[in-house]
Amino acid sequence: MTTLHFTVPPLPEYIISGLCEAPYAGKQPNRKNFGIFDLLVVVSGQLDVIENGEPYQVESGMYLILRPDAHHYGTKDCSADTTYYWLHFKTSGEWGIDKSLMFQREDAIELQFMIPNYFTIEVPQFGRLTQMQRTIELLDTLTGLVQNGHQTRALWNQQVLFQELIQLLAATGVHPSASPSLACAEKAASYLRSHYRDEFKAHTMGLNINFHPVYIARCMQKEYGCSPVEYLQRYRIEQAKLLLMQTDYSISRVAEEVGFNQAAYFTSCFTKQENISPQKYRQQFFMD
């Protein structure tokens, strides 16, 4: 299965769409390096398309995304009852293809503070729609908005609807279940984020998420590259950074709010992680 990988943000961007109905459907144009993605969704009949030498038969209830860097063309005219939607979109972000037979495992993604968080969405290039009715509703609405395309509200609605459409296409792929170690690490990380103000006890965490503390530590090291204690300390300091920017709490109060018992130890840990003291970090964001 060929999968298209989109790194977001930025999100893929809707350009324009339309509906082709028999007897004027014809066949797919012969285009090379078109520069934009071309989504085809067949409502009835069948489209026969070749892209870079690979043939596709897009039947009713199926879709195909033609790549912007490929050579594609229709091999024969559509049948008398063929109806299909076409939609052009592009992305200014990174994208690529994967021809493996199954999706990559979804690794845990830890949110970073104060910087953009990038992630990857995976969309099968060709497949059968799992929510055909909703897909048609979205395409109908998008195509209807084209006549109001110069109105700001219409442009906004088009992009919002298109993102839902991309989600539906991504849902046509079946992702394998997370590995046992990843499941354990994610549960532990979630527990630590929820209890970061509390005193850390490995035994208590183990009881709460039903894993042995030694196994938890092994899983977190494998998946996140750190121990539970290291993960907790990093998270506490990220929370402290938010308080330093958003409040006028004293350094002692900030330390207490994020789970440190001693301000001096908090300052030492903060400085080691951020290469700047909490006080100097705060001064960066306030005028004298």
Side-chain angles (χ1 to χ4, degrees):
M1 177 187 293
T2 300
T3 307
L4 301 174
H5 297 263
F6 297 93
T7 299
V8 294
L11 292 163
E13 305 145 15
Y14 171 86
I15 300 175
I16 195 170
S17 59
L19 176 66
C20 283
E21 298 180 277
Y24 306 106
K27 64 181 179 181
Q28 188 65 18
N30 189 333
R31 293 188 290 221
K32 185 176 182 180
N33 298 327
F34 190 41
I36 57 178
F37 292 93
D38 189 1
L39 167 65
L40 305 173
V41 175
V42 176
V43 179
S44 63
Q46 177 178 302
L47 289 178
D48 293 270
V49 182
I50 288 181
E51 182 180 79
N52 283 0
E54 185 169 355
Y56 294 94
Q57 289 186 332
V58 193
E59 301 172 350
S60 175
M62 301 182 73
Y63 75 92
L64 171 66
I65 301 176
L66 298 172
R67 289 162 37 197
D69 61 341
H71 178 203
H72 52 258
Y73 56 92
T75 58
K76 59 183 180 181
D77 288 335
C78 299
S79 60
D81 64 343
T82 299
T83 299
Y84 69 94
Y85 288 90
W86 57 268
L87 185 150
H88 294 164
F89 70 97
K90 67 178 295 184
T91 179
S92 53
E94 296 181 3
W95 72 277
I97 61 172
D98 176 19
K99 288 186 174 292
S100 62
L101 294 178
M102 65 186 344
F103 286 99
Q104 300 294 319
R105 186 193 73 185
E106 283 191 353
D107 290 319
I109 299 175
E110 283 301 303
L111 295 182
Q112 303 297 311
F113 289 80
M114 308 308 295
I115 61 173
N117 285 274
Y118 295 93
F119 60 97
T120 300
I121 56 173
E122 298 175 330
V123 181
Q125 184 180 3
F126 173 60
R128 184 167 296 279
L129 294 160
T130 56
Q131 298 186 49
M132 182 65 175
Q133 186 58 44
R134 181 54 182 161
T135 301
I136 297 304
E137 290 173 1
L138 289 170
L139 287 166
D140 264 337
T141 305
L142 280 166
T143 302
L145 286 170
V146 169
Q147 60 185 335
N148 300 317
H150 294 293
Q151 299 176 11
T152 301
R153 183 174 180 180
L155 295 174
W156 172 262
N157 288 338
Q158 286 171 347
Q159 299 304 327
V160 171
L161 293 169
F162 178 60
Q163 300 314 320
E164 183 179 347
L165 179 60
I166 287 291
Q167 285 185 307
L168 291 181
L169 297 181
T172 61
V174 178
H175 292 263
S177 300
S179 67
S181 66
L182 179 58
C184 175
E186 288 180 333
K187 284 187 176 182
S190 177
Y191 173 86
L192 292 170
R193 291 194 299 269
S194 299
H195 297 84
Y196 74 92
R197 293 186 178 90
D198 304 335
E199 180 184 0
F200 173 71
K201 293 182 179 180
H203 178 69
T204 303
M205 177 179 66
L207 289 176
N208 274 271
I209 67 172
N210 296 315
F211 289 105
H212 192 280
V214 174
Y215 180 67
I216 294 172
R218 188 184 305 129
C219 292
M220 292 200 73
Q221 189 66 50
K222 176 184 177 181
E223 302 296 341
Y224 296 144
C226 63
S227 69
V229 172
E230 291 169 333
Y231 182 95
L232 176 61
Q233 181 170 296
R234 288 201 317 233
Y235 189 77
R236 282 173 168 173
I237 289 175
E238 293 297 344
Q239 296 301 310
K241 287 160 66 174
L242 295 176
L243 291 177
L244 290 168
M245 287 187 294
Q246 298 171 357
T247 74
D248 59 359
Y249 292 169
S250 67
I251 301 301
S252 296
R253 172 77 181 279
V254 170
E256 181 182 352
E257 289 287 335
V258 299
F260 285 89
N261 292 327
Q262 297 180 352
Y265 181 59
F266 163 68
T267 298
S268 174
C269 293
F270 189 101
T271 303
K272 183 178 180 180
Q273 180 170 311
E274 301 298 324
N275 294 316
I276 190 174
S277 70
Q279 188 63 39
K280 289 185 177 179
Y281 180 86
R282 167 177 274 170
Q283 290 172 353
Q284 297 177 114
F285 304 99
F286 292 90
M287 300 292 292
D288 294 332

